Amino acid sequence: KKILLKRMEFGTAGLRAEMGAGNSRMNDLTIIQTTQGFCKYLFQQFGDDLKSKGVIIGFDSRHNSTRFARLAANVFGLQGVKVYLYSKIVPTPFVPYGVLRYKTCAGIMVTASHNPKQDNGYKVYWDNGAQIIPPHDTGIAECISSSLPPSCDEVWNEDLMKGKPNLIDPYDDVMEAYYKDLNNYCMYRSTNSSTNLRFTYTPVHGVGLAFARKSFETFSLPKFEDVPEQMNPDPEFSTVKYPNPEEGKGVLLLAMRTADSTGCRIILANDPDADRLAIAEKREDGSWKVFSGNELGSLIGWWTWYSFITKNPSVDRSNVYMLSSTVSSMILRSIAQKEGFSFEDTLTGFKWMGNRTDQLLKEGKTVLFAFEEAIGYMIGTNVLDKDGISAMSVVAECACHLNTKNITLTQQLHNIYNTYGDHITSNSYFICHDSDKINDMFQRLRNYGNCDYPSSAGKFKIDAIRDLTTGFDSRQSDNKAILPTTPSSHMITFYFSNGVVLTIRTSGTEPKIKYYSEMCGSVGSKREDLVAELNELVNVMCQEFYQPEKNGFLTRPT
Ligand SMILES: *[C@@H]1O[C@H](CO)[C@@H](O)[C@H](O)[C@H]1NC(C)=O
Ligand SMILES: *[C@@H]1O[C@H](CO)[C@@H](O)[C@H](O)[C@H]1NC(C)=O
Ligand SMILES: CC(=O)N[C@H]1CO[C@H](CO)[C@@H](O)[C@@H]1O
Ligand SMILES: CC(=O)N[C@H]1CO[C@H](CO)[C@@H](O)[C@@H]1O
């Protein structure tokens, strides 16, 4: 009954849920209803231009993805809207890329990214090529609830649009154009073709393989080794528990085996819709270092700046931008301060970084790079979203270039910290399924002692607070936060006297209360000391702010 009563909520991330019957699940009916609402909203916003400009639709290799994409195409097609429907599976970034290439009013990608196999999803892009942000989500949600009955019987026919004049397959054109544009990110072609560095690649049963191969070819990189068990699309994700390379070693075990047996020093892994990237590097002792999202962000940030400034030495640096989400490492800010380019942080999610990038481009700025700690990287502005297909070749080229100087990625990461200051992060979460308990916890933090936020955690003093749920920021003279306020979720940032910045937030899609903390050391400080201090602070913070025993919060499974 629960599944019939509660409709899936359409948010800025679109939809993501288990497949099955009922209003709370992903199925033919909820796809048709959602698309009818989305189509209606687009007509309200763009008028009849929608028909000629059209929409672009892509899908991944999950169960039902092709069918869901075709049904969505039917809804638009029946309304006389031009539909660019990919005829084959594509990486998610090919949809936002296509929005910009064909100047469509919107894009839809049928994917649940790295979720378990029983899930699917529906991701939505606006005409600026970025994922939607408020108020479009509520506008679309309202249109969905007011257009629930399927418009006609034909809409269910998967083959309805076959041969219709308003159906276009963009696949071949994008396969050519995307890689032609990608070529601009290749900096040192000559180094590469003869490199002795070897790479292993896994798409973790997703869409990536063909696109990754072509990405390497574009950069004239040597062929990578395939992980045979994981290279072809497999909606069952049969060799992994969760198809999420962010989880680190477990997902990369087979890739490590391939790499060990073929003599590769570097592993590249995309998630199943190939919009994210994980990297591991073999240490001298034969063990593997899996880079965290922040570490990889530091490396790519340094590399994109280094290649850019080498090619454009006399550029006005203040017009050049890098972005990251506010819960990611602030390493880009440190690099920017020293190098003289501009840095901004945004709310979490590429929807915000994509939209901000679009605005900056319209102001004539250059945006080199944006990243978030959840292994999402946007290099350049061909795609205004994270893109694992471009990122993998850029990182591989960076590794080849460093290799010519006998430097590993791990060594270069330390060089970056030596130059710009150490950046140590400690992120984790507690699990809680009771939203009242979560609200109580945040209520207590907002009324700590006598109706104010905490002024310390243990012996660690807090200098300033930003609360993006209420829009408060004690660092601003008017106490108003600069980043947008989101009353629907909790998010408080604590600025400690010792330089640690710590954010606690609820997750929109999971029963987690996450924390993100970072210690930015000055150049020359001792790394072990910084690590010890951050750990002590995080431990006492967890006890005092979360009160996990009292609240019955579960710790992250290890
Ligand atoms: C495909 O979607 C339907 C709902 O439309 C669901 O019942 C079915 O389980 C899905 N198939 C798989 C293999 O997940
Ligand atoms: C490369 O670096 C390693 C370790 O950093 C060192 O042992 C080796 O001698 C170096 N090789 C060359 C050719 O410089
Ligand atoms: C073709 C070419 O320029 N190859 C260069 C690639 O990198 C090696 C070092 O790994 C150089 O020695 C080559 O000159
Ligand atoms: C919701 C939305 O699209 N917001 C902004 C994103 O960026 C564009 C272009 O700069 C703005 O016009 C939108 O208002």
Short mmCIF file of all heavy atoms in Angstrom, two decimals, residues 20 31 54 102 122 151 242 272 281 303 325 389 436 450 475:
data_model
loop_
_atom_site.label_atom_id
_atom_site.label_comp_id
_atom_site.label_asym_id
_atom_site.label_seq_id
_atom_site.Cartn_x
_atom_site.Cartn_y
_atom_site.Cartn_z
N GLY A 20 9.59 -1.15 -10.43
CA GLY A 20 8.52 -2.03 -10.00
C GLY A 20 7.18 -1.33 -10.12
O GLY A 20 7.12 -0.17 -10.55
N ILE A 31 7.13 6.81 -15.74
CA ILE A 31 7.95 7.49 -16.74
C ILE A 31 7.07 8.35 -17.66
O ILE A 31 7.38 9.52 -17.94
CB ILE A 31 8.73 6.47 -17.59
CG1 ILE A 31 9.84 5.80 -16.77
CG2 ILE A 31 9.30 7.10 -18.86
CD1 ILE A 31 11.04 6.68 -16.47
N GLY A 54 13.42 21.24 -29.58
CA GLY A 54 13.39 19.84 -29.19
C GLY A 54 14.08 19.51 -27.88
O GLY A 54 14.51 20.41 -27.13
N TYR A 102 23.00 20.89 -29.90
CA TYR A 102 21.80 21.08 -30.73
C TYR A 102 20.91 22.22 -30.22
O TYR A 102 19.83 22.44 -30.75
CB TYR A 102 21.00 19.77 -30.79
CG TYR A 102 21.82 18.62 -31.31
CD1 TYR A 102 22.11 17.52 -30.50
CD2 TYR A 102 22.33 18.64 -32.61
CE1 TYR A 102 22.89 16.48 -30.97
CE2 TYR A 102 23.11 17.60 -33.08
CZ TYR A 102 23.39 16.53 -32.25
OH TYR A 102 24.18 15.51 -32.72
N TYR A 122 16.03 9.14 -13.70
CA TYR A 122 15.61 10.05 -14.77
C TYR A 122 16.23 11.40 -14.42
O TYR A 122 15.81 12.05 -13.47
CB TYR A 122 14.09 10.10 -14.71
CG TYR A 122 13.31 10.83 -15.76
CD1 TYR A 122 12.72 10.13 -16.80
CD2 TYR A 122 13.08 12.20 -15.67
CE1 TYR A 122 11.93 10.79 -17.74
CE2 TYR A 122 12.30 12.86 -16.60
CZ TYR A 122 11.72 12.15 -17.63
OH TYR A 122 10.92 12.80 -18.55
N SER A 151 -1.85 10.27 -22.16
CA SER A 151 -2.66 11.00 -23.14
C SER A 151 -3.38 10.09 -24.12
O SER A 151 -4.45 10.44 -24.60
CB SER A 151 -1.76 11.99 -23.89
OG SER A 151 -0.75 11.26 -24.58
N TYR A 242 28.20 -3.39 -4.92
CA TYR A 242 27.63 -2.13 -5.37
C TYR A 242 28.50 -1.60 -6.50
O TYR A 242 29.72 -1.57 -6.34
CB TYR A 242 27.59 -1.09 -4.26
CG TYR A 242 26.75 -1.52 -3.09
CD1 TYR A 242 27.34 -1.93 -1.90
CD2 TYR A 242 25.36 -1.52 -3.18
CE1 TYR A 242 26.58 -2.34 -0.82
CE2 TYR A 242 24.59 -1.93 -2.11
CZ TYR A 242 25.20 -2.35 -0.93
OH TYR A 242 24.44 -2.75 0.11
N PRO A 272 29.11 3.21 -13.61
CA PRO A 272 28.39 2.59 -14.74
C PRO A 272 27.84 3.55 -15.80
O PRO A 272 27.65 3.14 -16.95
CB PRO A 272 27.25 1.82 -14.06
CG PRO A 272 27.80 1.49 -12.70
CD PRO A 272 28.63 2.68 -12.31
N GLU A 281 46.89 3.86 -7.98
CA GLU A 281 48.27 3.80 -8.46
C GLU A 281 49.03 2.77 -7.62
O GLU A 281 48.88 2.73 -6.39
CB GLU A 281 48.94 5.16 -8.35
CG GLU A 281 50.36 5.19 -8.93
CD GLU A 281 50.95 6.61 -8.90
OE1 GLU A 281 51.00 7.22 -7.81
OE2 GLU A 281 51.34 7.09 -9.96
N TRP A 303 47.07 20.13 -12.51
CA TRP A 303 47.43 19.80 -13.89
C TRP A 303 46.76 20.74 -14.90
O TRP A 303 47.40 21.23 -15.84
CB TRP A 303 47.06 18.35 -14.20
CG TRP A 303 47.23 17.96 -15.63
CD1 TRP A 303 46.23 17.73 -16.55
CD2 TRP A 303 48.46 17.78 -16.35
NE1 TRP A 303 46.77 17.40 -17.76
CE2 TRP A 303 48.13 17.43 -17.67
CE3 TRP A 303 49.80 17.89 -15.98
CZ2 TRP A 303 49.10 17.18 -18.63
CZ3 TRP A 303 50.76 17.64 -16.94
CH2 TRP A 303 50.41 17.29 -18.26
N SER A 325 32.57 22.19 -4.88
CA SER A 325 31.43 22.29 -3.98
C SER A 325 31.96 22.59 -2.59
O SER A 325 33.10 22.28 -2.25
CB SER A 325 30.62 21.00 -3.99
OG SER A 325 31.29 20.00 -3.26
N ILE A 389 34.65 10.46 -18.97
CA ILE A 389 35.31 10.08 -20.22
C ILE A 389 36.42 11.08 -20.57
O ILE A 389 37.50 10.69 -21.03
CB ILE A 389 34.27 9.98 -21.36
CG1 ILE A 389 33.27 8.85 -21.08
CG2 ILE A 389 34.94 9.78 -22.72
CD1 ILE A 389 33.86 7.47 -21.01
N ASP A 436 12.80 12.41 12.82
CA ASP A 436 12.60 13.24 14.01
C ASP A 436 13.89 13.36 14.81
O ASP A 436 14.25 14.44 15.29
CB ASP A 436 11.52 12.63 14.92
CG ASP A 436 10.14 12.75 14.28
OD1 ASP A 436 10.01 13.59 13.36
OD2 ASP A 436 9.23 12.01 14.68
N ASN A 450 22.53 28.31 25.64
CA ASN A 450 21.30 29.11 25.61
C ASN A 450 21.11 29.76 24.25
O ASN A 450 21.65 30.82 23.95
CB ASN A 450 21.25 30.14 26.74
CG ASN A 450 22.65 30.60 27.11
OD1 ASN A 450 23.47 30.70 26.20
ND2 ASN A 450 22.92 30.87 28.36
N ARG A 475 30.14 35.15 9.51
CA ARG A 475 31.32 35.79 8.93
C ARG A 475 30.95 37.00 8.10
O ARG A 475 31.81 37.79 7.72
CB ARG A 475 32.08 34.79 8.04
CG ARG A 475 32.60 33.56 8.78
CD ARG A 475 33.12 32.54 7.79
NE ARG A 475 32.11 32.26 6.77
CZ ARG A 475 32.34 31.69 5.59
NH1 ARG A 475 33.57 31.33 5.28
NH2 ARG A 475 31.36 31.49 4.75
#
